[in-house]
């Protein structure tokens, strides 16, 4: 539990120093994104899915926006990036022979270095596999991919992808309480531990 307490302490410290908007718990997710892409916020802590809004037609920062990895803090996640390589495609496990053949053909064609680079350059799609290089792709999404490639120790999945829905819900509520000054980092970690123990 100690690493979780330390993580909550770091978040609380960022809030206390004014690096996190004082109205964060009253701000809708989409409004937080909009504050960044309309130039009302200096930084946005978000995922690659936010690139669409940042580079969209309502953005005033599209030409200037960039990406950097969260700084190392001296823990197990140093030199890693939160994320992975995927594409959002899903395939049924109940396919007839011709459907299975088509899916296999699609995968074989799609998962090539050449096609992943093309999708990155032409559509701004983050590659679904680790590339040796990104060619001449540029812009925000290219910066995100460079961040993926520069993570010396690789990637780790998002916490909420690893825990049960009940623990994820507890995390969301506890984060609101922590950002609102209603719980201490220690108490927040205890609530998370209790939710995990209840699922075990």
């Amino acid at each position: 539990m100690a690493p979780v307490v330390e993580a909550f302490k770091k978040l609380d410290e960022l809030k206390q120093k004014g690096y996190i908007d004082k109205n964060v718990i009253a701000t809708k997710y989409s409004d937080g994104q909009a504050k960044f892409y309309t130039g009302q916020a200096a930084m946005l802590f978000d995922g690659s899915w936010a690139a669409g809004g940042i580079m969209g037609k309502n953005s005033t920062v599209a030409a200037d926006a960039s990406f950097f990895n969260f700084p190392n803090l001296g823990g197990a996640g140093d030199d890693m990036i939160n994320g992975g390589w995927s594409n959002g495609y899903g395939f049924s496990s109940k396919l007839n022979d011709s459907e299975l053949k088509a899916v296999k053909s699609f995968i074989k064609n799609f998962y090539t270095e050449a096609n992943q680079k093309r999708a990155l350059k032409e559509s701004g799609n983050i590659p679904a596999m680790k590339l040796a290089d990104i060619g001449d792709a540029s812009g925000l999404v290219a910066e995100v991919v460079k961040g993926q490639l520069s993570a010396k120790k690789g990637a780790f999945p998002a916490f909420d992808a690893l825990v049960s829905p009940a623990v994820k819900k507890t995390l969301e509520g506890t984060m609101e309480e922590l950002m609102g000054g209603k719980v201490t980092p220690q108490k927040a970690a205890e609530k998370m531990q209790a939710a995990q123990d209840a699922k075990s």
Side-chain angles (χ1 to χ4, degrees):
M1 187 166 74
V4 176
V5 174
E6 287 306 308
F8 285 148
K9 282 181 180 178
K10 293 286 185 190
L11 284 169
D12 190 47
E13 180 183 344
L14 291 173
K15 175 80 188 308
Q16 297 305 324
K17 288 183 174 181
Y19 297 131
I20 296 175
D21 190 319
K22 64 184 178 186
N23 297 315
V24 65
I25 60 174
T27 304
K28 290 181 182 177
Y29 174 70
S30 58
D31 292 341
Q33 282 188 327
K35 276 190 171 186
F36 177 74
Y37 68 67
T38 58
Q40 299 173 59
M43 289 188 291
L44 176 67
F45 183 76
D46 210 329
S48 57
W49 52 85
I54 295 167
M55 304 304 291
K57 64 180 181 178
N58 295 323
S59 176
T60 62
V61 301
D64 303 311
S66 190
F67 164 87
F68 65 92
N69 292 346
F70 200 85
N72 286 341
L73 297 173
D78 284 0
D79 296 318
M80 297 184 79
I81 190 168
N82 177 214
W85 286 268
S86 67
N87 58 34
Y89 289 103
F91 305 103
S92 173
S93 61
K94 298 177 181 177
L95 302 173
N96 63 40
D97 288 343
S98 61
E99 291 168 335
L100 182 59
K101 185 177 179 181
V103 166
K104 286 181 177 181
S105 178
F106 170 81
I107 291 170
K108 185 177 180 181
N109 182 55
F110 187 72
Y111 290 98
T112 64
E113 184 114 352
N115 279 337
Q116 293 292 305
K117 281 184 186 177
R118 181 179 174 189
L120 170 62
K121 182 178 179 182
E122 295 179 9
S123 305
N125 291 344
I126 293 178
M129 58 190 278
K130 192 169 185 176
L131 303 177
D133 66 82
I134 62 169
D136 61 351
S138 61
L140 177 62
V141 175
E143 293 295 323
V144 171
V145 176
K146 286 177 188 174
Q148 285 179 310
L149 296 174
S150 70
K152 296 174 187 165
K153 291 181 356 189
F156 62 92
F159 175 80
D160 61 2
L162 300 175
V163 298
S164 70
V167 173
K168 178 182 181 290
K169 186 174 180 179
T170 300
L171 171 65
E172 291 168 351
T174 302
M175 289 304 302
E176 284 187 17
E177 291 176 332
L178 181 66
M179 292 294 98
K182 304 291 184 192
V183 295
T184 64
Q186 177 68 38
K187 184 63 178 173
E190 288 171 7
K191 290 180 101 171
M192 292 298 302
Q193 187 64 55
Q196 179 61 41
D197 291 345
K199 295 307 293 176
S200 299

